Amino acid sequence: MPLLQLRRPLQRAAVAATTSTSFGLLSESLAALRIDANAAVQGRRYASVKSQGAYRLKPKNPIPKKLGAKKTGDQFVLPGNIIYKQRGTIWHAGENTILGRDHTIHAAVTGYVKYYRDPQRHPKRQYIGVVFDKEDKLPYPPGMPRKRKLGMVAQRIAPEPAPKDNIGPSGIPLTVTRVTEIEPEAADSKKTASRPTAILPSTTPALPKKELTGGSVVIAALIKEKLAARRAHNAAARQNRLEKEAELRQRQATRIFRLQKDYSYRETNWEIGRLVGDPGVVQGTEKVGSRKAKLRYKRKRDNKKLLTIKMNALARAARREEYLGRVKAKRDRTRKF
């Protein structure tokens, strides 16, 4: 309530206070007027403007992004220094530089900044690199030795295919062959160790052979045929195993080391994997890493086992049919006589 509206009630209260002689009559008169003494004296402030939605203008001085070049050409930098801050790959990371996840290019080594283009890598892209000597220029010519840390020099692989004489443009061989000779004595000892020992003849007297008659002759013939087939199968398996072992020894004895992208001589991954042999031949190579690969290997192994069981059952059924046919034919021949 404004003070102007309270003027007349206050005057009445003042008149009543002057006429009364006690403070209790003043409070009673104010209570009758239904006016709080503190509110009447201090007053209340009400909102002069009604609040609306939270609509605000953008600030005119936002936080700057500070993008752009932080180091100029031929300027000295240390590892980790920021060379260029950008949104997107306006400049690409070149020699001895690192591209961060916010597309910021950092220096990877101590050296001097170089802004350049490399038409052999990309016809339109522009790169930022770092060199060790201020007089060097980027990009390096194809096949030129590159300067690395601690003064080491490594061969830069040329984009063109390797020459026939296996020598790079700078005279460094692209492949190196290491041959390991197997000592003949060690090889003979391995053969003798793997060779089974001869079985000495038994001293017990041999039992007299019985004459087979009737169906026993057919059964004996089938047993001999089965044993002969088993011996042939074992001989073929042994020959195959010996050939694979010889191939593995030859593969392990002659190893070709190729010049890789990291400027080191080593074998490729598939050649390193083949050194241990094929899965199922060398123990331990059937082990796989991922769960899917384990399940795939188990499914393949189970299918092979089921197929073997099925083929054995079919072979037994065929032998059974052949045996019954021969027995029936023999029975028919005996009945005629």
PDB file of all heavy atoms in Angstrom, residues 301-315:
ATOM      1  N   ARG A 301      35.912 -77.925 -36.918  1.00  0.00           N
ATOM      2  CA  ARG A 301      36.416 -79.207 -36.428  1.00  0.00           C
ATOM      3  C   ARG A 301      35.278 -80.203 -36.210  1.00  0.00           C
ATOM      4  O   ARG A 301      35.403 -81.396 -36.561  1.00  0.00           O
ATOM      5  CB  ARG A 301      37.174 -78.967 -35.121  1.00  0.00           C
ATOM      6  CG  ARG A 301      37.846 -80.200 -34.533  1.00  0.00           C
ATOM      7  CD  ARG A 301      38.506 -79.830 -33.229  1.00  0.00           C
ATOM      8  NE  ARG A 301      37.510 -79.267 -32.308  1.00  0.00           N
ATOM      9  CZ  ARG A 301      37.843 -78.641 -31.182  1.00  0.00           C
ATOM     10  NH1 ARG A 301      39.103 -78.448 -30.868  1.00  0.00           N
ATOM     11  NH2 ARG A 301      36.897 -78.161 -30.390  1.00  0.00           N
ATOM     12  N   ASP A 302      34.144 -79.736 -35.658  1.00  0.00           N
ATOM     13  CA  ASP A 302      33.001 -80.627 -35.448  1.00  0.00           C
ATOM     14  C   ASP A 302      32.432 -81.110 -36.770  1.00  0.00           C
ATOM     15  O   ASP A 302      32.061 -82.294 -36.912  1.00  0.00           O
ATOM     16  CB  ASP A 302      31.928 -79.911 -34.635  1.00  0.00           C
ATOM     17  CG  ASP A 302      32.395 -79.587 -33.220  1.00  0.00           C
ATOM     18  OD1 ASP A 302      33.420 -80.158 -32.804  1.00  0.00           O
ATOM     19  OD2 ASP A 302      31.758 -78.752 -32.561  1.00  0.00           O
ATOM     20  N   ASN A 303      32.348 -80.218 -37.755  1.00  0.00           N
ATOM     21  CA  ASN A 303      31.845 -80.652 -39.066  1.00  0.00           C
ATOM     22  C   ASN A 303      32.746 -81.706 -39.692  1.00  0.00           C
ATOM     23  O   ASN A 303      32.273 -82.677 -40.304  1.00  0.00           O
ATOM     24  CB  ASN A 303      31.720 -79.443 -39.991  1.00  0.00           C
ATOM     25  CG  ASN A 303      30.634 -78.485 -39.547  1.00  0.00           C
ATOM     26  OD1 ASN A 303      29.729 -78.867 -38.805  1.00  0.00           O
ATOM     27  ND2 ASN A 303      30.711 -77.241 -39.971  1.00  0.00           N
ATOM     28  N   LYS A 304      34.055 -81.514 -39.531  1.00  0.00           N
ATOM     29  CA  LYS A 304      34.985 -82.505 -40.069  1.00  0.00           C
ATOM     30  C   LYS A 304      34.841 -83.839 -39.356  1.00  0.00           C
ATOM     31  O   LYS A 304      34.873 -84.909 -39.983  1.00  0.00           O
ATOM     32  CB  LYS A 304      36.416 -81.976 -39.929  1.00  0.00           C
ATOM     33  CG  LYS A 304      37.453 -82.857 -40.595  1.00  0.00           C
ATOM     34  CD  LYS A 304      38.823 -82.225 -40.493  1.00  0.00           C
ATOM     35  CE  LYS A 304      39.865 -83.121 -41.182  1.00  0.00           C
ATOM     36  NZ  LYS A 304      41.218 -82.516 -41.084  1.00  0.00           N
ATOM     37  N   LYS A 305      34.646 -83.791 -38.028  1.00  0.00           N
ATOM     38  CA  LYS A 305      34.475 -85.025 -37.278  1.00  0.00           C
ATOM     39  C   LYS A 305      33.183 -85.743 -37.689  1.00  0.00           C
ATOM     40  O   LYS A 305      33.168 -86.967 -37.894  1.00  0.00           O
ATOM     41  CB  LYS A 305      34.455 -84.711 -35.786  1.00  0.00           C
ATOM     42  CG  LYS A 305      34.435 -85.943 -34.887  1.00  0.00           C
ATOM     43  CD  LYS A 305      34.290 -85.542 -33.432  1.00  0.00           C
ATOM     44  CE  LYS A 305      35.482 -84.715 -32.982  1.00  0.00           C
ATOM     45  NZ  LYS A 305      35.389 -84.394 -31.527  1.00  0.00           N
ATOM     46  N   LEU A 306      32.088 -84.979 -37.833  1.00  0.00           N
ATOM     47  CA  LEU A 306      30.823 -85.592 -38.247  1.00  0.00           C
ATOM     48  C   LEU A 306      30.915 -86.164 -39.648  1.00  0.00           C
ATOM     49  O   LEU A 306      30.353 -87.240 -39.942  1.00  0.00           O
ATOM     50  CB  LEU A 306      29.702 -84.551 -38.157  1.00  0.00           C
ATOM     51  CG  LEU A 306      29.338 -84.064 -36.747  1.00  0.00           C
ATOM     52  CD1 LEU A 306      28.294 -82.964 -36.830  1.00  0.00           C
ATOM     53  CD2 LEU A 306      28.833 -85.216 -35.889  1.00  0.00           C
ATOM     54  N   LEU A 307      31.610 -85.462 -40.540  1.00  0.00           N
ATOM     55  CA  LEU A 307      31.785 -85.983 -41.891  1.00  0.00           C
ATOM     56  C   LEU A 307      32.591 -87.274 -41.893  1.00  0.00           C
ATOM     57  O   LEU A 307      32.281 -88.218 -42.646  1.00  0.00           O
ATOM     58  CB  LEU A 307      32.469 -84.928 -42.759  1.00  0.00           C
ATOM     59  CG  LEU A 307      32.694 -85.298 -44.227  1.00  0.00           C
ATOM     60  CD1 LEU A 307      31.354 -85.551 -44.919  1.00  0.00           C
ATOM     61  CD2 LEU A 307      33.467 -84.202 -44.943  1.00  0.00           C
ATOM     62  N   THR A 308      33.614 -87.346 -41.035  1.00  0.00           N
ATOM     63  CA  THR A 308      34.400 -88.578 -40.929  1.00  0.00           C
ATOM     64  C   THR A 308      33.554 -89.729 -40.421  1.00  0.00           C
ATOM     65  O   THR A 308      33.637 -90.866 -40.932  1.00  0.00           O
ATOM     66  CB  THR A 308      35.593 -88.339 -40.001  1.00  0.00           C
ATOM     67  OG1 THR A 308      36.350 -87.228 -40.475  1.00  0.00           O
ATOM     68  CG2 THR A 308      36.486 -89.562 -39.942  1.00  0.00           C
ATOM     69  N   ILE A 309      32.711 -89.465 -39.395  1.00  0.00           N
ATOM     70  CA  ILE A 309      31.831 -90.511 -38.865  1.00  0.00           C
ATOM     71  C   ILE A 309      30.860 -90.988 -39.943  1.00  0.00           C
ATOM     72  O   ILE A 309      30.607 -92.198 -40.109  1.00  0.00           O
ATOM     73  CB  ILE A 309      31.084 -89.984 -37.622  1.00  0.00           C
ATOM     74  CG1 ILE A 309      32.069 -89.718 -36.482  1.00  0.00           C
ATOM     75  CG2 ILE A 309      30.007 -90.971 -37.184  1.00  0.00           C
ATOM     76  CD1 ILE A 309      31.446 -89.048 -35.280  1.00  0.00           C
ATOM     77  N   LYS A 310      30.329 -90.041 -40.711  1.00  0.00           N
ATOM     78  CA  LYS A 310      29.382 -90.410 -41.767  1.00  0.00           C
ATOM     79  C   LYS A 310      30.055 -91.249 -42.851  1.00  0.00           C
ATOM     80  O   LYS A 310      29.501 -92.275 -43.297  1.00  0.00           O
ATOM     81  CB  LYS A 310      28.791 -89.143 -42.368  1.00  0.00           C
ATOM     82  CG  LYS A 310      27.763 -89.407 -43.457  1.00  0.00           C
ATOM     83  CD  LYS A 310      27.209 -88.102 -43.992  1.00  0.00           C
ATOM     84  CE  LYS A 310      26.189 -88.368 -45.104  1.00  0.00           C
ATOM     85  NZ  LYS A 310      25.659 -87.096 -45.649  1.00  0.00           N
ATOM     86  N   MET A 311      31.251 -90.854 -43.266  1.00  0.00           N
ATOM     87  CA  MET A 311      31.958 -91.618 -44.301  1.00  0.00           C
ATOM     88  C   MET A 311      32.328 -93.004 -43.796  1.00  0.00           C
ATOM     89  O   MET A 311      32.248 -93.999 -44.547  1.00  0.00           O
ATOM     90  CB  MET A 311      33.205 -90.853 -44.737  1.00  0.00           C
ATOM     91  CG  MET A 311      32.919 -89.511 -45.402  1.00  0.00           C
ATOM     92  SD  MET A 311      31.856 -89.633 -46.842  1.00  0.00           S
ATOM     93  CE  MET A 311      32.908 -90.565 -47.934  1.00  0.00           C
ATOM     94  N   ASN A 312      32.723 -93.119 -42.533  1.00  0.00           N
ATOM     95  CA  ASN A 312      33.031 -94.442 -41.973  1.00  0.00           C
ATOM     96  C   ASN A 312      31.794 -95.321 -41.924  1.00  0.00           C
ATOM     97  O   ASN A 312      31.863 -96.536 -42.219  1.00  0.00           O
ATOM     98  CB  ASN A 312      33.625 -94.281 -40.576  1.00  0.00           C
ATOM     99  CG  ASN A 312      34.996 -93.637 -40.597  1.00  0.00           C
ATOM    100  OD1 ASN A 312      35.673 -93.653 -41.625  1.00  0.00           O
ATOM    101  ND2 ASN A 312      35.417 -93.073 -39.478  1.00  0.00           N
ATOM    102  N   ALA A 313      30.649 -94.725 -41.556  1.00  0.00           N
ATOM    103  CA  ALA A 313      29.405 -95.512 -41.531  1.00  0.00           C
ATOM    104  C   ALA A 313      29.031 -95.983 -42.933  1.00  0.00           C
ATOM    105  O   ALA A 313      28.612 -97.160 -43.126  1.00  0.00           O
ATOM    106  CB  ALA A 313      28.283 -94.674 -40.926  1.00  0.00           C
ATOM    107  N   LEU A 314      29.163 -95.105 -43.926  1.00  0.00           N
ATOM    108  CA  LEU A 314      28.866 -95.515 -45.293  1.00  0.00           C
ATOM    109  C   LEU A 314      29.823 -96.602 -45.775  1.00  0.00           C
ATOM    110  O   LEU A 314      29.425 -97.549 -46.479  1.00  0.00           O
ATOM    111  CB  LEU A 314      28.941 -94.303 -46.216  1.00  0.00           C
ATOM    112  CG  LEU A 314      27.861 -93.226 -46.014  1.00  0.00           C
ATOM    113  CD1 LEU A 314      28.115 -92.042 -46.936  1.00  0.00           C
ATOM    114  CD2 LEU A 314      26.471 -93.810 -46.270  1.00  0.00           C
ATOM    115  N   ALA A 315      31.098 -96.489 -45.395  1.00  0.00           N
ATOM    116  CA  ALA A 315      32.068 -97.510 -45.796  1.00  0.00           C
ATOM    117  C   ALA A 315      31.746 -98.845 -45.143  1.00  0.00           C
ATOM    118  O   ALA A 315      31.835 -99.913 -45.789  1.00  0.00           O
ATOM    119  CB  ALA A 315      33.480 -97.056 -45.436  1.00  0.00           C
TER     120      ALA A 315
END
